[in-house]
Amino acid sequence: MTVEPFRAISVSRLAHQLKSEGRSIIHMEFGQPSTGAPAAAIARAHQVLDQDAMGYWESPDLRARIARLYEERHGVTVDPDRILLTCGASPALVLALSTLFKPGDRIALARPGYVAYRNTLRALHLTPVEIACGPETRFQLTADQLRALDPAPAGVIIASPANPTGTIIPDAELAAIAEVCSQRGIAVVSDEIYHGLSYVGPTSSMLQFAPGAVVINSFSKYWSMAGWRLGWLLVPQSQVDAARAYIGNMFLTPPSLSQHVGLVAMDAVEELEGHIQTYARNRDLMLQALPALGLKKIAPPDGAFYIWADIGHLTDDSVAFCEQLLRDTGVATAPGVDFDPVDGRRFIRFSFAVSTPEIEDALSRLRPWFAARARA
């Protein structure tokens, strides 16, 4: 089955090529923090490298600490045995889909949505059922949309906060989605990788409404550890043995060093919350500046670190648009067709997970560029 490329990678490749030629580049194409792991976590890495030869290993202390996170954040009690450590969220997604579904199963998901959902489903010979989600639903799936699907899909992928929009599903809607899924026998996969990154208050876990949900999370976003490749999959007790069979054969364990670092990072709250303050400032700057650029139709960026902007008044080819924008200004962005193969040709995604000076520099470059296109 055909798997489409991740087009933001080609934009990033061009950005690095231009940088090697001496150009000044601002990377707003990928959803990764520009900061590194917390200082205390880095110090722990140096200590471990000097003392531990390391090997295949799954840290019981880290699994217990993650379980405590659910109690602290969401008031949900989780047995650490239900937590499988992975090399980031991507293997966790593969594990979740492999464990829960069989080839040919239909899986519902929002469009726009993270590019790897659709492509991983296809790679595993599952059938994506993409539901168009626009401003009227805040670019998120609703219980009514799931209720209307006939026949009911085998599963649904929920993401809140979402990529590429940053929108968060309200608690009442999460509860309604959980009820519909329970009534119709729809398995829930909840991608909670952007939890902790919210500008509108706490973000609920799907586990609060659907205790049998499968949850994906990662250290890449909130904990600023994208390069360490560490995440987890939380499954119901009934699925633990099946999921462990898959992980043992396909992925073994995540890097031992990353597990040591992740355990320390989880308690570096003050430093990590400082990152959130930076993202909040960047978000405010973007929201103030974008309307003057002519980008007045954007998704509500409740969380994560993205702006999903409609550029339909300027182009119907977001890939060419992003490439030209990069060549002319040095600002790299992600084309919307990655996230929405139907309507994404008229959208782009900005990541504001860079430093505030970089945001200010990017906006100074974008203003004359967009003004010239508005005049044209």
Side-chain angles (χ1 to χ4, degrees):
M1 190 171 291
T2 302
V3 174
E4 295 294 324
F6 194 169
R7 293 172 180 83
I9 293 176
S10 65
V11 173
S12 187
R13 190 178 298 117
L14 174 59
H16 285 286
Q17 175 190 325
L18 294 174
K19 186 174 182 179
S20 71
E21 296 170 1
R23 292 284 303 278
S24 170
I25 302 298
I26 301 174
H27 289 281
M28 301 177 73
E29 76 274 31
F30 282 157
Q32 62 181 14
S34 59
T35 51
I42 295 294
R44 176 60 177 152
H46 287 288
Q47 184 182 43
V48 170
L49 284 169
D50 290 336
Q51 298 176 354
D52 190 342
M54 294 177 283
Y56 301 128
W57 177 60
E58 188 180 40
S59 168
D61 292 340
L62 181 57
R63 289 166 52 217
R65 181 65 184 86
I66 292 170
R68 181 155 63 90
L69 179 75
Y70 286 94
E71 182 70 44
E72 294 170 347
R73 277 188 180 174
H74 307 295
V76 175
T77 299
V78 172
D79 185 338
D81 186 54
R82 295 171 54 196
I83 297 167
L84 289 74
L85 301 179
T86 63
C87 296
S90 296
L93 176 64
V94 172
L95 284 169
L97 300 177
S98 300
T99 301
L100 293 176
F101 307 115
K102 62 183 183 301
D105 278 351
R106 300 165 64 254
I107 313 300
L109 63 159
R111 176 173 59 76
Y114 179 44
V115 58
Y117 299 154
R118 181 191 335 116
N119 286 332
T120 303
L121 287 167
R122 287 176 174 166
L124 294 174
H125 301 283
L126 301 168
T127 303
V129 179
E130 294 190 285
I131 300 174
C133 299
E136 66 283 355
T137 65
R138 302 179 77 256
F139 297 91
Q140 281 282 12
L141 277 176
T142 67
D144 287 343
Q145 289 171 318
L146 284 174
R147 190 179 292 110
L149 290 179
D150 186 19
V156 62
I157 298 175
I158 300 294
S160 176
N163 177 9
T165 61
T167 54
I168 290 174
I169 302 175
D171 283 3
E173 193 63 42
L174 283 175
I177 289 170
E179 183 179 1
V180 169
C181 290
S182 176
Q183 293 171 348
R184 306 194 73 194
I186 303 171
V188 179
V189 177
S190 181
D191 184 351
E192 301 182 358
I193 190 173
Y194 294 102
H195 274 211
L197 302 175
S198 171
Y199 314 103
V200 295
T203 304
S204 295
S205 171
M206 198 65 187
L207 291 175
Q208 295 169 240
F209 309 98
V214 170
V215 175
I216 295 166
N217 209 325
S218 168
F219 283 81
S220 294
K221 312 301 182 180
Y222 176 77
W223 288 279
S224 197
M225 290 177 55
W228 295 84
R229 308 316 303 135
L230 181 63
W232 71 87
L233 180 70
L234 197 160
V235 299
Q237 194 67 50
S238 61
Q239 299 290 343
V240 169
D241 289 344
R244 288 202 173 279
Y246 275 109
I247 197 172
N249 282 283
M250 292 195 292
F251 302 113
L252 292 175
T253 65
S256 296
L257 182 63
S258 299
Q259 296 180 62
H260 286 291
V261 170
L263 180 60
V264 174
M266 293 193 77
D267 292 320
V269 177
E270 184 176 355
E271 184 175 346
L272 295 168
E273 289 300 311
H275 296 168
I276 309 303
Q277 294 173 17
T278 297
Y279 302 151
R281 287 195 297 272
N282 294 351
R283 173 181 177 269
D284 289 345
L285 287 170
M286 294 287 288
L287 292 179
Q288 291 166 16
L290 290 181
L293 302 183
L295 305 183
K296 299 178 181 180
K297 298 178 182 179
I298 64 171
D302 303 325
F305 30 56
Y306 302 121
I307 300 284
W308 179 245
D310 190 330
I311 54 169
H313 59 296
L314 298 173
T315 186
D316 62 357
D317 185 347
S318 58
V319 174
F321 186 90
C322 288
E323 290 178 354
Q324 194 61 53
L325 174 64
L326 172 59
R327 291 183 185 278
D328 292 347
T329 70
V331 177
T333 56
V337 288
D338 271 338
F339 312 98
D340 185 340
V342 179
D343 298 317
R345 65 188 185 280
R346 60 182 182 86
F347 283 86
I348 61 173
R349 189 198 71 179
F350 297 93
S351 169
F352 53 82
V354 295
S355 68
T356 300
E358 285 178 301
I359 290 289
E360 294 170 337
D361 186 3
L363 291 173
S364 71
R365 302 183 193 190
L366 295 177
R367 287 187 184 98
W369 194 85
F370 276 93
R373 267 138 196 83
R375 289 194 298 271

